mmCIF file of all heavy atoms in Angstrom:
data_model
loop_
_atom_site.group_PDB
_atom_site.id
_atom_site.type_symbol
_atom_site.label_atom_id
_atom_site.label_comp_id
_atom_site.label_asym_id
_atom_site.label_seq_id
_atom_site.Cartn_x
_atom_site.Cartn_y
_atom_site.Cartn_z
ATOM 1 N N LEU Z 7 31.798 61.700 232.220
ATOM 2 C CA LEU Z 7 32.750 60.570 232.157
ATOM 3 C C LEU Z 7 33.002 60.005 233.533
ATOM 4 O O LEU Z 7 32.999 58.791 233.717
ATOM 5 C CB LEU Z 7 34.049 61.035 231.516
ATOM 6 C CG LEU Z 7 35.185 59.995 231.492
ATOM 7 C CD1 LEU Z 7 34.798 58.772 230.668
ATOM 8 C CD2 LEU Z 7 36.479 60.580 230.988
ATOM 9 N N ALA Z 8 33.213 60.889 234.533
ATOM 10 C CA ALA Z 8 33.484 60.430 235.880
ATOM 11 C C ALA Z 8 32.303 59.627 236.454
ATOM 12 O O ALA Z 8 32.480 58.602 237.092
ATOM 13 C CB ALA Z 8 33.772 61.622 236.797
ATOM 14 N N ALA Z 9 31.099 60.090 236.190
ATOM 15 C CA ALA Z 9 29.910 59.366 236.661
ATOM 16 C C ALA Z 9 29.818 57.975 236.015
ATOM 17 O O ALA Z 9 29.467 57.000 236.699
ATOM 18 C CB ALA Z 9 28.633 60.191 236.361
ATOM 19 N N LYS Z 10 30.132 57.903 234.723
ATOM 20 C CA LYS Z 10 30.109 56.612 234.061
ATOM 21 C C LYS Z 10 31.139 55.648 234.657
ATOM 22 O O LYS Z 10 30.863 54.477 234.853
ATOM 23 C CB LYS Z 10 30.366 56.771 232.555
ATOM 24 C CG LYS Z 10 29.217 57.389 231.807
ATOM 25 C CD LYS Z 10 29.554 57.580 230.324
ATOM 26 C CE LYS Z 10 28.406 58.216 229.597
ATOM 27 N NZ LYS Z 10 28.692 58.452 228.205
ATOM 28 N N VAL Z 11 32.328 56.188 234.970
ATOM 29 C CA VAL Z 11 33.377 55.358 235.576
ATOM 30 C C VAL Z 11 32.906 54.835 236.949
ATOM 31 O O VAL Z 11 33.091 53.661 237.245
ATOM 32 C CB VAL Z 11 34.673 56.174 235.710
ATOM 33 C CG1 VAL Z 11 35.682 55.469 236.635
ATOM 34 C CG2 VAL Z 11 35.320 56.390 234.340
ATOM 35 N N LEU Z 12 32.317 55.693 237.726
ATOM 36 C CA LEU Z 12 31.887 55.242 239.053
ATOM 37 C C LEU Z 12 30.782 54.219 239.029
ATOM 38 O O LEU Z 12 30.643 53.388 239.929
ATOM 39 C CB LEU Z 12 31.457 56.466 239.902
ATOM 40 C CG LEU Z 12 32.578 57.366 240.361
ATOM 41 C CD1 LEU Z 12 32.032 58.588 241.066
ATOM 42 C CD2 LEU Z 12 33.520 56.609 241.289
ATOM 43 N N ASN Z 13 30.012 54.233 237.929
ATOM 44 C CA ASN Z 13 28.946 53.256 237.783
ATOM 45 C C ASN Z 13 29.389 51.978 237.046
ATOM 46 O O ASN Z 13 28.597 51.039 236.908
ATOM 47 C CB ASN Z 13 27.734 53.880 237.033
ATOM 48 C CG ASN Z 13 26.993 54.824 237.923
ATOM 49 O OD1 ASN Z 13 26.648 54.494 239.053
ATOM 50 N ND2 ASN Z 13 26.719 56.025 237.412
ATOM 51 N N ASP Z 14 30.603 51.949 236.622
ATOM 52 C CA ASP Z 14 31.160 50.795 235.881
ATOM 53 C C ASP Z 14 31.786 49.799 236.847
ATOM 54 O O ASP Z 14 32.833 50.093 237.464
ATOM 55 C CB ASP Z 14 32.189 51.276 234.866
ATOM 56 C CG ASP Z 14 32.779 50.173 234.042
ATOM 57 O OD1 ASP Z 14 32.438 48.973 234.259
ATOM 58 O OD2 ASP Z 14 33.622 50.472 233.134
ATOM 59 N N PRO Z 15 31.207 48.619 236.999
ATOM 60 C CA PRO Z 15 31.777 47.650 237.937
ATOM 61 C C PRO Z 15 33.146 47.141 237.522
ATOM 62 O O PRO Z 15 33.872 46.616 238.335
ATOM 63 C CB PRO Z 15 30.761 46.487 237.959
ATOM 64 C CG PRO Z 15 29.946 46.668 236.695
ATOM 65 C CD PRO Z 15 30.013 48.108 236.315
ATOM 66 N N LYS Z 16 33.551 47.351 236.264
ATOM 67 C CA LYS Z 16 34.838 46.904 235.777
ATOM 68 C C LYS Z 16 35.916 48.011 235.925
ATOM 69 O O LYS Z 16 37.098 47.736 235.617
ATOM 70 C CB LYS Z 16 34.741 46.476 234.315
ATOM 71 C CG LYS Z 16 33.865 45.250 234.137
ATOM 72 C CD LYS Z 16 33.760 44.854 232.701
ATOM 73 C CE LYS Z 16 32.838 43.646 232.515
ATOM 74 N NZ LYS Z 16 32.695 43.276 231.109
ATOM 75 N N ALA Z 17 35.561 49.188 236.376
ATOM 76 C CA ALA Z 17 36.513 50.294 236.480
ATOM 77 C C ALA Z 17 37.515 49.963 237.592
ATOM 78 O O ALA Z 17 37.170 49.370 238.622
ATOM 79 C CB ALA Z 17 35.801 51.575 236.793
ATOM 80 N N SER Z 18 38.772 50.382 237.374
ATOM 81 C CA SER Z 18 39.830 50.115 238.338
ATOM 82 C C SER Z 18 39.684 51.052 239.549
ATOM 83 O O SER Z 18 38.998 52.073 239.487
ATOM 84 C CB SER Z 18 41.183 50.312 237.682
ATOM 85 O OG SER Z 18 41.391 51.696 237.403
ATOM 86 N N ALA Z 19 40.401 50.737 240.602
ATOM 87 C CA ALA Z 19 40.440 51.581 241.793
ATOM 88 C C ALA Z 19 40.975 52.974 241.446
ATOM 89 O O ALA Z 19 40.485 53.980 241.955
ATOM 90 C CB ALA Z 19 41.236 50.925 242.908
ATOM 91 N N LEU Z 20 41.998 53.011 240.601
ATOM 92 C CA LEU Z 20 42.546 54.292 240.183
ATOM 93 C C LEU Z 20 41.537 55.131 239.447
ATOM 94 O O LEU Z 20 41.369 56.317 239.725
ATOM 95 C CB LEU Z 20 43.792 54.062 239.292
ATOM 96 C CG LEU Z 20 44.433 55.312 238.676
ATOM 97 C CD1 LEU Z 20 44.858 56.320 239.770
ATOM 98 C CD2 LEU Z 20 45.604 54.946 237.777
ATOM 99 N N GLU Z 21 40.829 54.507 238.482
ATOM 100 C CA GLU Z 21 39.807 55.249 237.761
ATOM 101 C C GLU Z 21 38.738 55.787 238.706
ATOM 102 O O GLU Z 21 38.310 56.947 238.593
ATOM 103 C CB GLU Z 21 39.134 54.331 236.723
ATOM 104 C CG GLU Z 21 40.003 54.010 235.538
ATOM 105 C CD GLU Z 21 39.387 52.990 234.589
ATOM 106 O OE1 GLU Z 21 38.847 51.958 235.099
ATOM 107 O OE2 GLU Z 21 39.454 53.200 233.384
ATOM 108 N N LYS Z 22 38.337 54.971 239.660
ATOM 109 C CA LYS Z 22 37.309 55.397 240.606
ATOM 110 C C LYS Z 22 37.781 56.520 241.524
ATOM 111 O O LYS Z 22 37.038 57.448 241.826
ATOM 112 C CB LYS Z 22 36.738 54.225 241.387
ATOM 113 C CG LYS Z 22 35.944 53.285 240.497
ATOM 114 C CD LYS Z 22 35.184 52.249 241.293
ATOM 115 C CE LYS Z 22 34.396 51.412 240.303
ATOM 116 N NZ LYS Z 22 33.111 51.014 240.796
ATOM 117 N N SER Z 23 39.039 56.465 241.946
ATOM 118 C CA SER Z 23 39.582 57.541 242.797
ATOM 119 C C SER Z 23 39.633 58.843 242.034
ATOM 120 O O SER Z 23 39.239 59.923 242.540
ATOM 121 C CB SER Z 23 40.990 57.178 243.264
ATOM 122 O OG SER Z 23 41.001 56.132 244.156
ATOM 123 N N LEU Z 24 40.113 58.782 240.812
ATOM 124 C CA LEU Z 24 40.188 60.008 239.960
ATOM 125 C C LEU Z 24 38.779 60.552 239.675
ATOM 126 O O LEU Z 24 38.552 61.731 239.770
ATOM 127 C CB LEU Z 24 40.937 59.718 238.677
ATOM 128 C CG LEU Z 24 42.427 59.383 238.818
ATOM 129 C CD1 LEU Z 24 42.987 58.909 237.475
ATOM 130 C CD2 LEU Z 24 43.222 60.562 239.349
ATOM 131 N N ALA Z 25 37.863 59.632 239.380
ATOM 132 C CA ALA Z 25 36.494 60.038 239.068
ATOM 133 C C ALA Z 25 35.828 60.688 240.272
ATOM 134 O O ALA Z 25 35.142 61.705 240.129
ATOM 135 C CB ALA Z 25 35.689 58.835 238.600
ATOM 136 N N GLY Z 26 36.080 60.143 241.439
ATOM 137 C CA GLY Z 26 35.504 60.744 242.663
ATOM 138 C C GLY Z 26 36.012 62.151 242.885
ATOM 139 O O GLY Z 26 35.264 63.038 243.272
ATOM 140 N N SER Z 27 37.278 62.342 242.628
ATOM 141 C CA SER Z 27 37.865 63.669 242.805
ATOM 142 C C SER Z 27 37.265 64.636 241.792
ATOM 143 O O SER Z 27 36.940 65.779 242.139
ATOM 144 C CB SER Z 27 39.382 63.600 242.624
ATOM 145 O OG SER Z 27 39.959 64.905 242.746
ATOM 146 N N VAL Z 28 37.125 64.206 240.552
ATOM 147 C CA VAL Z 28 36.548 65.081 239.514
ATOM 148 C C VAL Z 28 35.124 65.492 239.943
ATOM 149 O O VAL Z 28 34.764 66.659 239.883
ATOM 150 C CB VAL Z 28 36.518 64.346 238.157
ATOM 151 C CG1 VAL Z 28 35.597 65.077 237.154
ATOM 152 C CG2 VAL Z 28 37.920 64.229 237.588
ATOM 153 N N LEU Z 29 34.341 64.539 240.411
ATOM 154 C CA LEU Z 29 32.959 64.859 240.786
ATOM 155 C C LEU Z 29 32.905 65.763 242.022
ATOM 156 O O LEU Z 29 32.023 66.639 242.094
ATOM 157 C CB LEU Z 29 32.169 63.590 241.029
ATOM 158 C CG LEU Z 29 31.765 62.818 239.776
ATOM 159 C CD1 LEU Z 29 31.027 61.533 240.153
ATOM 160 C CD2 LEU Z 29 30.942 63.661 238.836
ATOM 161 N N SER Z 30 33.842 65.622 242.937
ATOM 162 C CA SER Z 30 33.838 66.477 244.112
ATOM 163 C C SER Z 30 34.185 67.908 243.776
ATOM 164 O O SER Z 30 33.941 68.821 244.558
ATOM 165 C CB SER Z 30 34.803 65.937 245.178
ATOM 166 O OG SER Z 30 36.139 66.233 244.840
ATOM 167 N N GLN Z 31 34.730 68.117 242.590
ATOM 168 C CA GLN Z 31 35.147 69.468 242.177
ATOM 169 C C GLN Z 31 34.170 70.102 241.196
ATOM 170 O O GLN Z 31 34.447 71.147 240.636
ATOM 171 C CB GLN Z 31 36.563 69.420 241.587
ATOM 172 C CG GLN Z 31 37.567 69.025 242.625
ATOM 173 C CD GLN Z 31 38.927 68.649 242.029
ATOM 174 O OE1 GLN Z 31 39.102 68.672 240.858
ATOM 175 N NE2 GLN Z 31 39.852 68.306 242.896
ATOM 176 N N PHE Z 32 33.049 69.459 240.982
ATOM 177 C CA PHE Z 32 32.038 69.993 240.051
ATOM 178 C C PHE Z 32 31.112 70.926 240.826
ATOM 179 O O PHE Z 32 30.518 70.527 241.812
ATOM 180 C CB PHE Z 32 31.230 68.878 239.402
ATOM 181 C CG PHE Z 32 30.180 69.346 238.450
ATOM 182 C CD1 PHE Z 32 30.537 69.948 237.273
ATOM 183 C CD2 PHE Z 32 28.816 69.204 238.769
ATOM 184 C CE1 PHE Z 32 29.541 70.407 236.385
ATOM 185 C CE2 PHE Z 32 27.863 69.655 237.910
ATOM 186 C CZ PHE Z 32 28.212 70.236 236.701
ATOM 187 N N GLY Z 33 31.014 72.170 240.420
ATOM 188 C CA GLY Z 33 30.112 73.113 241.045
ATOM 189 C C GLY Z 33 30.614 73.614 242.384
ATOM 190 O O GLY Z 33 29.852 74.206 243.124
ATOM 191 N N THR Z 34 31.897 73.362 242.725
ATOM 192 C CA THR Z 34 32.456 73.787 243.998
ATOM 193 C C THR Z 34 33.839 74.393 243.716
ATOM 194 O O THR Z 34 34.353 74.358 242.616
ATOM 195 C CB THR Z 34 32.619 72.645 244.983
ATOM 196 O OG1 THR Z 34 33.653 71.766 244.502
ATOM 197 C CG2 THR Z 34 31.346 71.839 245.129
ATOM 198 N N HIS Z 35 34.458 74.868 244.760
ATOM 199 C CA HIS Z 35 35.848 75.332 244.659
ATOM 200 C C HIS Z 35 36.796 74.385 245.405
ATOM 201 O O HIS Z 35 37.847 74.768 245.845
ATOM 202 C CB HIS Z 35 35.992 76.760 245.223
ATOM 203 C CG HIS Z 35 35.260 77.766 244.373
ATOM 204 N ND1 HIS Z 35 35.680 78.083 243.106
ATOM 205 C CD2 HIS Z 35 34.193 78.496 244.614
ATOM 206 C CE1 HIS Z 35 34.861 79.009 242.603
ATOM 207 N NE2 HIS Z 35 33.945 79.269 243.472
ATOM 208 N N ASN Z 36 36.354 73.103 245.558
ATOM 209 C CA ASN Z 36 37.217 72.094 246.177
ATOM 210 C C ASN Z 36 38.510 71.978 245.364
ATOM 211 O O ASN Z 36 38.499 72.133 244.147
ATOM 212 C CB ASN Z 36 36.509 70.733 246.207
ATOM 213 C CG ASN Z 36 35.372 70.688 247.176
ATOM 214 O OD1 ASN Z 36 35.195 71.569 247.985
ATOM 215 N ND2 ASN Z 36 34.578 69.658 247.085
ATOM 216 N N GLN Z 37 39.571 71.674 246.055
ATOM 217 C CA GLN Z 37 40.869 71.531 245.400
ATOM 218 C C GLN Z 37 41.380 70.116 245.553
ATOM 219 O O GLN Z 37 41.052 69.436 246.513
ATOM 220 C CB GLN Z 37 41.875 72.495 246.049
ATOM 221 C CG GLN Z 37 41.497 73.940 245.867
ATOM 222 C CD GLN Z 37 42.495 74.852 246.570
ATOM 223 O OE1 GLN Z 37 43.656 74.553 246.673
ATOM 224 N NE2 GLN Z 37 42.004 75.971 247.086
ATOM 225 N N THR Z 38 42.197 69.707 244.616
ATOM 226 C CA THR Z 38 42.820 68.396 244.669
ATOM 227 C C THR Z 38 43.812 68.308 245.844
ATOM 228 O O THR Z 38 44.613 69.215 245.985
ATOM 229 C CB THR Z 38 43.565 68.121 243.337
ATOM 230 O OG1 THR Z 38 42.639 68.178 242.268
ATOM 231 C CG2 THR Z 38 44.220 66.739 243.371
ATOM 232 N N GLY Z 39 43.731 67.225 246.606
ATOM 233 C CA GLY Z 39 44.692 67.048 247.676
ATOM 234 C C GLY Z 39 46.032 66.636 247.153
ATOM 235 O O GLY Z 39 46.162 66.138 246.026
ATOM 236 N N ALA Z 40 47.065 66.774 247.989
ATOM 237 C CA ALA Z 40 48.430 66.474 247.547
ATOM 238 C C ALA Z 40 48.599 65.018 247.157
ATOM 239 O O ALA Z 40 49.243 64.704 246.136
ATOM 240 C CB ALA Z 40 49.413 66.831 248.696
ATOM 241 N N GLU Z 41 47.989 64.126 247.905
ATOM 242 C CA GLU Z 41 48.133 62.663 247.594
ATOM 243 C C GLU Z 41 47.533 62.358 246.244
ATOM 244 O O GLU Z 41 48.140 61.614 245.433
ATOM 245 C CB GLU Z 41 47.502 61.851 248.718
ATOM 246 C CG GLU Z 41 47.707 60.338 248.541
ATOM 247 C CD GLU Z 41 47.113 59.577 249.698
ATOM 248 O OE1 GLU Z 41 47.168 60.028 250.857
ATOM 249 O OE2 GLU Z 41 46.585 58.468 249.446
ATOM 250 N N LEU Z 42 46.324 62.846 246.012
ATOM 251 C CA LEU Z 42 45.681 62.544 244.729
ATOM 252 C C LEU Z 42 46.353 63.267 243.587
ATOM 253 O O LEU Z 42 46.435 62.698 242.464
ATOM 254 C CB LEU Z 42 44.181 62.924 244.804
ATOM 255 C CG LEU Z 42 43.302 62.237 243.748
ATOM 256 C CD1 LEU Z 42 43.459 60.737 243.782
ATOM 257 C CD2 LEU Z 42 41.881 62.587 243.966
ATOM 258 N N GLN Z 43 46.882 64.418 243.839
ATOM 259 C CA GLN Z 43 47.643 65.136 242.812
ATOM 260 C C GLN Z 43 48.848 64.303 242.368
ATOM 261 O O GLN Z 43 49.147 64.178 241.186
ATOM 262 C CB GLN Z 43 48.106 66.480 243.315
ATOM 263 C CG GLN Z 43 48.916 67.261 242.301
ATOM 264 C CD GLN Z 43 49.464 68.557 242.840
ATOM 265 O OE1 GLN Z 43 49.046 69.004 243.899
ATOM 266 N NE2 GLN Z 43 50.354 69.195 242.127
ATOM 267 N N THR Z 44 49.540 63.712 243.339
ATOM 268 C CA THR Z 44 50.712 62.863 243.032
ATOM 269 C C THR Z 44 50.298 61.640 242.231
ATOM 270 O O THR Z 44 50.954 61.251 241.236
ATOM 271 C CB THR Z 44 51.405 62.429 244.328
ATOM 272 O OG1 THR Z 44 51.823 63.617 245.014
ATOM 273 C CG2 THR Z 44 52.597 61.546 244.060
#
């Protein structure tokens, strides 16, 4: 879903920010930052 959002030119900035965070946490132990969590 996140990859589809990032490839969608109509996706909002919020959708793209959330999608980027989701993808950065795939296959890693990356954690959500405080700002994005809020």
Side-chain angles (χ1 to χ4, degrees):
L7 175 62
K10 287 179 182 178
V11 166
L12 288 175
N13 286 311
D14 181 357
K16 295 179 182 178
S18 69
L20 174 58
E21 288 173 316
K22 290 190 178 217
S23 292
L24 294 171
S27 179
V28 166
L29 286 178
S30 76
Q31 296 167 358
F32 180 68
T34 70
H35 293 292
N36 290 347
Q37 299 177 32
T38 301
E41 185 177 324
L42 199 54
Q43 179 184 348
T44 300

